Amino acid sequence: MVAGSALQRTLQIARGNPSGSVGFLLVLVIVLPGLLAPVLPIADPNALNLAHRLQAPDREFLLGTDQAGRDLLSRILWGSRESITIAFGAVGFGCLVGVTLGLIAGYMHGTIVELLITRVFDILFSVPLLVLAIAVMGIVGSTKLEVWGFEISNAMKLIALIALSFAPALGRVAYASSLVEARSDYVRAKKAQGAGWLEIVFLDILPNAIPSVIVQATLFVGVAIIVEASLSFVGLGIAPPTASWGTMLADARTYIFSGEWWIAVFPGLAICITVVGFNLMGDALRDLLDPRGSSRSIFV
Amino acid sequence: MLGFLLSRLVSGLIAIVSVSALVFWLIRTVPTSPALLVLGADAGDTVVAAFEAKYGLDQPILQQYATWIWRALTRFDFGQSYISGRPITTEIALTLPVTLELIVVSMTLCLLISIPLGTLSAFRPGSILDHAARAIAVIGVSTPGFWLGLVLILILSVRLGWFPPGDLPPVSQGIAAHAHSIVLPAFCLAIYYTAIISRMTRSSILEVLNQDYVRTAVAMGLPKSRVRLIYVLRNAMIPIVSVVAMSCGYMFGWAIVVEQVFNIPGVCRALLAGIFSRDYNLVLAAVLVITVAFVLLNILADVLYRVLNPRLSW
């Protein structure tokens, strides 16, 4: 009964937000096959097959093959795993850092802590983070990086750098809600009861900040996917031969003039579909969760 | 106002110093010495030591950084390229105007499309045009500019031959060829901000349309066109102005990929070329120049926002 009503309610919400539902479906179309890629009956994404190189889309290779005869459909599906992992990792990490700092700054209104944290956000906003990310990846990218015995992979570096560029915006959203909540009666009552600041910030204020953070985070997933693809495209992201949408497009550059259009078109379409999906979802979530709109628009 | 400006300048200066210091530190801690890159991996110790002494690479890193940033910011002297031996300043002077031109053309294109689009859909909310504009906006923010570039080259250059597929011939080789070559890259760089600014224009106009002074003007019987142009559009453009300044700053980042796709000799492509040829002085200079431009555009955005919103306190 409960499951039935939950389903009904979900359907009701979906009917009220047609474009959000379309977004959800678009994301599902890309993410689900990506998750299932290891068990789906598709070709090995890295299997070289020189007999079938640069094959146009046909029955055997639905989206064609690349210069090494690798199946593009398979590579796009495997590539979605890279994109989604990095995008979710970056947004998640950015939330962890930004939201924590933002909540604390709002709660400690009027103290040096607030001043310090908001100053750090201001400074991060004045940094061209895409340019910095490219410079940092370019300098440390090729060398093996080890921190305290852990080997840092390229994907982790990308996650950290993209997260750094999202943290201040996510932090400001959390800060705005925290400022309001910290002055509310229920928080004052909790304080009077002797609750510690950790408890108040994370158990009372955080739940109220979550809706606007979720909206912002969903919109950032799309941005993260584009940033990752751009970095991989210029050769400073995911390193070949691992399948990623950006590196596939980098390969495509060579074949644009000789007529092999499918190598350039399909990976980019995959990016577009996924990002449109996340943006439509973010828009719908904004109407649903954050109608007053304290979450900012999508900027990198 | 002075206090506000000062606080923004301090933030900006901290941003400039921390970015350049981080990049400087990373470069100097990379295991391979620039000397080995230039002289070859089998260069003898004495040759390497002489090279490092010549370029001051044997001094403490903090001192190296201080010397470098002081010369860079006060005399625009970024040292010389380890690869070509030319002064980096020449390199920057040749490439920076190209990127600036690309960004200006791109932003102009963006405004020419987005303002009319946003305005028309705000005055006819719910119309077919409004829905089409929303669809364009969603696709616009979701399409990577570099991929759009590849597809446009594929269709408009290779198949149809309407535009050159890349390169930007200098103005001296004819202004027509130059202008013809900049259209596609400018459009690719513009698409993201066209989408954002058209949506902002729409929501900003809808907000102003609900204001009492607009209702009063209409009630007083002022002609519709006059109300729209003078009362609505002028006020609705206020938030857009500062977004335009900020977007120009963000365009430097996306220009890296666009210049790469279209082979445009701008400062962003120079940055990438410097990274791949390990011409680290060039990388440092390009990052610094771009960061300074970004910081200045951000401050401009903040100042414009407050100048145009007299109700906000400084």
Side-chain angles (χ1 to χ4, degrees), chain B residues 247-258:
Chain B
S247 305
C248 285
Y250 289 116
M251 277 184 174
F252 277 98
W254 300 115
I256 296 178
V257 217
V258 171

PDB file of all heavy atoms in Angstrom, chain B residues 247-258:
ATOM      1  N   SER B 247      30.962  37.204 -17.574  1.00  0.00           N
ATOM      2  CA  SER B 247      31.040  36.167 -18.597  1.00  0.00           C
ATOM      3  C   SER B 247      32.274  36.326 -19.465  1.00  0.00           C
ATOM      4  O   SER B 247      32.883  35.340 -19.878  1.00  0.00           O
ATOM      5  CB  SER B 247      29.791  36.199 -19.479  1.00  0.00           C
ATOM      6  OG  SER B 247      28.640  36.098 -18.685  1.00  0.00           O
ATOM      7  N   CYS B 248      32.657  37.581 -19.739  1.00  0.00           N
ATOM      8  CA  CYS B 248      33.868  37.812 -20.533  1.00  0.00           C
ATOM      9  C   CYS B 248      35.067  37.178 -19.831  1.00  0.00           C
ATOM     10  O   CYS B 248      35.948  36.601 -20.475  1.00  0.00           O
ATOM     11  CB  CYS B 248      34.116  39.302 -20.727  1.00  0.00           C
ATOM     12  SG  CYS B 248      33.028  40.047 -21.925  1.00  0.00           S
ATOM     13  N   GLY B 249      35.100  37.262 -18.502  1.00  0.00           N
ATOM     14  CA  GLY B 249      36.188  36.627 -17.754  1.00  0.00           C
ATOM     15  C   GLY B 249      36.169  35.120 -17.911  1.00  0.00           C
ATOM     16  O   GLY B 249      37.192  34.502 -18.193  1.00  0.00           O
ATOM     17  N   TYR B 250      34.962  34.526 -17.753  1.00  0.00           N
ATOM     18  CA  TYR B 250      34.872  33.068 -17.882  1.00  0.00           C
ATOM     19  C   TYR B 250      35.242  32.602 -19.279  1.00  0.00           C
ATOM     20  O   TYR B 250      35.715  31.495 -19.476  1.00  0.00           O
ATOM     21  CB  TYR B 250      33.459  32.592 -17.555  1.00  0.00           C
ATOM     22  CG  TYR B 250      33.113  32.707 -16.093  1.00  0.00           C
ATOM     23  CD1 TYR B 250      32.111  33.553 -15.648  1.00  0.00           C
ATOM     24  CD2 TYR B 250      33.807  31.956 -15.155  1.00  0.00           C
ATOM     25  CE1 TYR B 250      31.798  33.656 -14.308  1.00  0.00           C
ATOM     26  CE2 TYR B 250      33.499  32.052 -13.814  1.00  0.00           C
ATOM     27  CZ  TYR B 250      32.499  32.901 -13.391  1.00  0.00           C
ATOM     28  OH  TYR B 250      32.199  32.994 -12.069  1.00  0.00           O
ATOM     29  N   MET B 251      35.020  33.475 -20.283  1.00  0.00           N
ATOM     30  CA  MET B 251      35.313  33.080 -21.661  1.00  0.00           C
ATOM     31  C   MET B 251      36.787  32.736 -21.867  1.00  0.00           C
ATOM     32  O   MET B 251      37.127  31.944 -22.735  1.00  0.00           O
ATOM     33  CB  MET B 251      34.902  34.187 -22.627  1.00  0.00           C
ATOM     34  CG  MET B 251      33.441  34.162 -22.992  1.00  0.00           C
ATOM     35  SD  MET B 251      33.103  35.412 -24.220  1.00  0.00           S
ATOM     36  CE  MET B 251      31.391  35.055 -24.598  1.00  0.00           C
ATOM     37  N   PHE B 252      37.678  33.331 -21.056  1.00  0.00           N
ATOM     38  CA  PHE B 252      39.096  32.998 -21.185  1.00  0.00           C
ATOM     39  C   PHE B 252      39.315  31.499 -21.000  1.00  0.00           C
ATOM     40  O   PHE B 252      40.153  30.893 -21.664  1.00  0.00           O
ATOM     41  CB  PHE B 252      39.935  33.764 -20.153  1.00  0.00           C
ATOM     42  CG  PHE B 252      40.282  35.151 -20.575  1.00  0.00           C
ATOM     43  CD1 PHE B 252      39.544  36.233 -20.132  1.00  0.00           C
ATOM     44  CD2 PHE B 252      41.355  35.383 -21.417  1.00  0.00           C
ATOM     45  CE1 PHE B 252      39.868  37.517 -20.518  1.00  0.00           C
ATOM     46  CE2 PHE B 252      41.686  36.655 -21.814  1.00  0.00           C
ATOM     47  CZ  PHE B 252      40.932  37.737 -21.362  1.00  0.00           C
ATOM     48  N   GLY B 253      38.579  30.904 -20.060  1.00  0.00           N
ATOM     49  CA  GLY B 253      38.727  29.471 -19.824  1.00  0.00           C
ATOM     50  C   GLY B 253      38.284  28.651 -21.022  1.00  0.00           C
ATOM     51  O   GLY B 253      39.011  27.800 -21.516  1.00  0.00           O
ATOM     52  N   TRP B 254      37.064  28.949 -21.495  1.00  0.00           N
ATOM     53  CA  TRP B 254      36.546  28.165 -22.627  1.00  0.00           C
ATOM     54  C   TRP B 254      37.333  28.451 -23.899  1.00  0.00           C
ATOM     55  O   TRP B 254      37.372  27.622 -24.812  1.00  0.00           O
ATOM     56  CB  TRP B 254      35.065  28.461 -22.838  1.00  0.00           C
ATOM     57  CG  TRP B 254      34.239  28.127 -21.637  1.00  0.00           C
ATOM     58  CD1 TRP B 254      33.548  29.007 -20.854  1.00  0.00           C
ATOM     59  CD2 TRP B 254      34.043  26.841 -21.041  1.00  0.00           C
ATOM     60  NE1 TRP B 254      32.929  28.343 -19.829  1.00  0.00           N
ATOM     61  CE2 TRP B 254      33.223  27.014 -19.911  1.00  0.00           C
ATOM     62  CE3 TRP B 254      34.493  25.556 -21.351  1.00  0.00           C
ATOM     63  CZ2 TRP B 254      32.825  25.955 -19.091  1.00  0.00           C
ATOM     64  CZ3 TRP B 254      34.102  24.507 -20.547  1.00  0.00           C
ATOM     65  CH2 TRP B 254      33.274  24.710 -19.427  1.00  0.00           C
ATOM     66  N   ALA B 255      37.955  29.636 -23.975  1.00  0.00           N
ATOM     67  CA  ALA B 255      38.732  29.972 -25.175  1.00  0.00           C
ATOM     68  C   ALA B 255      39.891  28.997 -25.370  1.00  0.00           C
ATOM     69  O   ALA B 255      40.342  28.778 -26.488  1.00  0.00           O
ATOM     70  CB  ALA B 255      39.248  31.402 -25.095  1.00  0.00           C
ATOM     71  N   ILE B 256      40.373  28.400 -24.276  1.00  0.00           N
ATOM     72  CA  ILE B 256      41.479  27.446 -24.400  1.00  0.00           C
ATOM     73  C   ILE B 256      41.095  26.332 -25.368  1.00  0.00           C
ATOM     74  O   ILE B 256      41.846  25.986 -26.278  1.00  0.00           O
ATOM     75  CB  ILE B 256      41.840  26.856 -23.019  1.00  0.00           C
ATOM     76  CG1 ILE B 256      42.340  27.966 -22.106  1.00  0.00           C
ATOM     77  CG2 ILE B 256      42.876  25.748 -23.159  1.00  0.00           C
ATOM     78  CD1 ILE B 256      42.679  27.506 -20.709  1.00  0.00           C
ATOM     79  N   VAL B 257      39.889  25.793 -25.172  1.00  0.00           N
ATOM     80  CA  VAL B 257      39.465  24.666 -26.013  1.00  0.00           C
ATOM     81  C   VAL B 257      39.097  25.151 -27.415  1.00  0.00           C
ATOM     82  O   VAL B 257      39.414  24.506 -28.409  1.00  0.00           O
ATOM     83  CB  VAL B 257      38.273  23.930 -25.389  1.00  0.00           C
ATOM     84  CG1 VAL B 257      38.401  22.459 -25.643  1.00  0.00           C
ATOM     85  CG2 VAL B 257      38.153  24.196 -23.913  1.00  0.00           C
ATOM     86  N   VAL B 258      38.423  26.298 -27.475  1.00  0.00           N
ATOM     87  CA  VAL B 258      37.982  26.800 -28.780  1.00  0.00           C
ATOM     88  C   VAL B 258      39.189  27.181 -29.649  1.00  0.00           C
ATOM     89  O   VAL B 258      39.243  26.854 -30.832  1.00  0.00           O
ATOM     90  CB  VAL B 258      37.015  27.991 -28.602  1.00  0.00           C
ATOM     91  CG1 VAL B 258      36.730  28.654 -29.926  1.00  0.00           C
ATOM     92  CG2 VAL B 258      35.714  27.517 -27.967  1.00  0.00           C
TER      93      VAL B 258
END
